[in-house]
């Protein structure tokens, strides 16, 4: 960087950049405590507010986290979930009674917390996707997924309430192979999928539900499952802790 | 929400929630100015700092943006780029001399700014992905993509420098169909792709390069292109303005 640009950079940014370099160089590893405000004040000859701004900049980037009364720590990234978007939906997985989710954890111990099944008027976008009239009743299944006891995803699944009435899809336990196996039982086997991926900052409710520290976005995955004749049978809206996931899609050129 | 929980909620959060409701109800539309600090102070009987905290909360969520001296405005979401991860890589697109990127804009006027081609030692992860020894020289092609004159993506493409020496891949203009057509000319046609998708807050450099307002994450897409015999021939690291993109993957159950 030319020294002109360096001069124009505010002091707190220069301190933040120096701390970032030290983190990148491994001088401070994941979980390590950074120097305190007073130490930065002494080292760089700056006011407390400037030291705080430097920490705030690193926090906004999600590189460090402040722990109340204890200081500022290099963030420990927990990524560990490699979600193979296409392969995980192989019929062999759910057809054999397996859990799609278990495939993401790669030997770790993923857990599913069932948050309930209910009937509700469909949100407009869901009704449109499922080809139902506005306000049609849908079955809503909510689950939260945890890895090493930390929540990493909340998933809300919507299905036609009339189609799935009286099936295990209306029960907390949808049985071996889950709802895709039950849809297959009904002659509505899902064979084609569309996933839409977005990212944004979480709402306070989402940050709460996933235990997100500040500077952590959510990834939204909206999956629609289609039968062979092109009918949408399920819409699944997932909210993921962005720091916990890599989404992978591997495919042949069409 | 039970009134107990409401009582425990700090004042600034209640003001932020009220403003969010008003935005959701359409009372303030995209680009509209929210009431000023003084107005909030009067309406809610709070101190200026509390009004500021309410705005800061909305800003952190990416719902509004502060414009210096002008006030706080409801964010205008520019999403408009639907990136169809799989279909856009059809051989028919680049094989016919077309631009993969043009397919994302859907009739709008996407522009590509070429940022240069150079030779450099490969970053460790890139060398590993391309099956090259550590420190091998790679050809680096950098581009920035704009929609309606606003930058939305920066892409850095890495290829084996020895393989591509003396070809149009080493030139600013890689010719009709781009580098995939040139790789095909070399007998290394890419036929299989892996995309890895992550999201995090931007670094200050990334925020600058994409003109991101605060509260906007970046989406990182790392694509590896493979030949029919399974050799990786290109790694492309893309950094996307998360507010401008929906990534879509549509596929048959494997």
């Amino acid at each position: 960087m030319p020294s002109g640009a360096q001069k124009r950079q505010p002091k707190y940014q220069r301190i933040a950049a120096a701390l970032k370099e030290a983190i990148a160089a491994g001088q401070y590893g994941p979980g390590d405590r950074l120097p305190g405000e007073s130490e930065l004040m002494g080292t760089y000859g700056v006011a407390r507010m400037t030291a705080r701004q430097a920490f705030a900049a690193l926090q906004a980037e999600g590189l460090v986290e402040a722990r109340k009364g204890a200081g500022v720590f290099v963030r420990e990234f927990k990524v560990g979930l490699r979600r193979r978007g296409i392969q995980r939906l192989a019929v062999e997985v759910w057809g054999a009674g397996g859990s799609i989710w278990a495939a993401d954890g790669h030997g770790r111990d993923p857990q599913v917390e069932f948050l309930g099944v209910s009937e509700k008027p469909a949100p407009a976008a869901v009704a449109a996707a499922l080809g139902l009239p506005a306000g049609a009743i849908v079955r809503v299944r909510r689950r939260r997924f945890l890895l090493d006891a930390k929540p990493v995803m909340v998933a809300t699944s919507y299905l036609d309430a009339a189609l799935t009435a009286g099936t295990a899809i209306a029960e907390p336990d949808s049985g071996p192979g889950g709802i895709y196996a039950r849809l297959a039982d009904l002659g509505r086997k899902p064979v084609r999928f569309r996933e839409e991926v977005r990212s944004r900052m979480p709402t306070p409710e989402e940050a709460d539900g996933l235990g997100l520290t500040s500077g952590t976005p959510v990834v939204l995955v909206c999956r629609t499952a289609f039968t062979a004749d092109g009918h949408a049978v399920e819409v699944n809206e997932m909210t993921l802790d962005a720091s916990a996931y890599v989404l992978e899609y591997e495919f042949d050129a069409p």
Side-chain angles (χ1 to χ4, degrees), chain A:
Chain A
M1 195 184 288
S3 64
Q6 210 151 24
K7 269 222 168 123
R8 279 196 307 275
Q9 203 179 26
K11 259 186 194 166
Y12 81 90
Q13 282 191 8
R14 273 182 279 160
I15 299 172
L19 289 171
K20 269 172 75 173
E21 262 175 47
I23 293 169
Q27 190 178 335
Y28 304 105
D32 281 358
R33 192 179 169 283
L34 290 183
E37 285 172 12
S38 309
E39 208 176 326
L40 287 193
M41 289 161 68
T43 307
Y44 294 96
V46 295
R48 187 171 299 276
M49 191 51 70
T50 308
R52 278 191 195 159
Q53 282 180 303
F55 285 137
L58 296 177
Q59 228 178 315
E61 272 187 54
L63 279 177
V64 303
E65 56 190 28
R67 299 188 198 145
K68 248 180 198 150
V72 175
F73 293 79
V74 179
R75 185 122 163 227
E76 305 189 61
F77 281 90
K78 299 164 286 274
V79 171
L81 289 166
R82 175 166 290 265
R83 181 182 181 279
R84 305 188 71 200
I86 299 177
Q87 289 74 9
R88 68 201 288 280
L89 289 168
V91 175
E92 298 83 62
V93 174
W94 56 264
S99 148
I100 295 173
W101 161 246
D104 297 345
H106 299 284
R108 285 159 81 182
D109 186 26
Q111 293 183 300
V112 184
E113 190 184 346
F114 186 72
L115 301 178
V117 52
S118 59
E119 291 190 4
K120 279 184 192 153
V126 170
L130 289 175
L132 297 173
I137 302 299
V138 284
R139 197 166 310 287
V140 184
R141 300 180 58 88
R142 296 192 65 235
R143 291 182 296 175
R144 195 159 76 140
F145 297 78
L146 302 97
L147 192 70
D148 301 336
K150 195 266 168 210
V152 289
M153 174 172 58
V154 175
T156 306
S157 180
Y158 300 92
L159 305 103
D160 182 352
L163 172 68
T164 56
T167 72
I169 294 174
E171 307 297 327
D173 180 359
S174 55
I179 62 172
Y180 286 174
R182 298 297 82 70
L183 285 167
D185 296 345
L186 290 169
R188 310 282 180 119
K189 180 168 130 176
V191 299
R192 190 168 173 79
F193 301 92
R194 180 173 59 222
E195 295 201 340
E196 293 175 318
V197 181
R198 291 170 174 80
S199 172
R200 58 164 170 72
M201 291 313 284
T203 64
E205 296 74 30
E206 289 167 341
D208 256 22
L210 291 170
L212 302 176
T213 53
S214 73
T216 306
V218 285
V219 171
L220 308 177
V221 179
C222 178
R223 179 173 69 225
T224 310
F226 300 90
T227 60
D229 61 3
H231 283 104
V233 285
E234 186 218 17
V235 172
N236 194 334
E237 293 183 341
M238 293 161 265
T239 307
L240 286 63
D241 172 349
S243 72
Y245 272 95
V246 178
L247 276 60
E248 181 183 304
Y249 296 91
E250 191 169 333
F251 50 90
D252 290 323

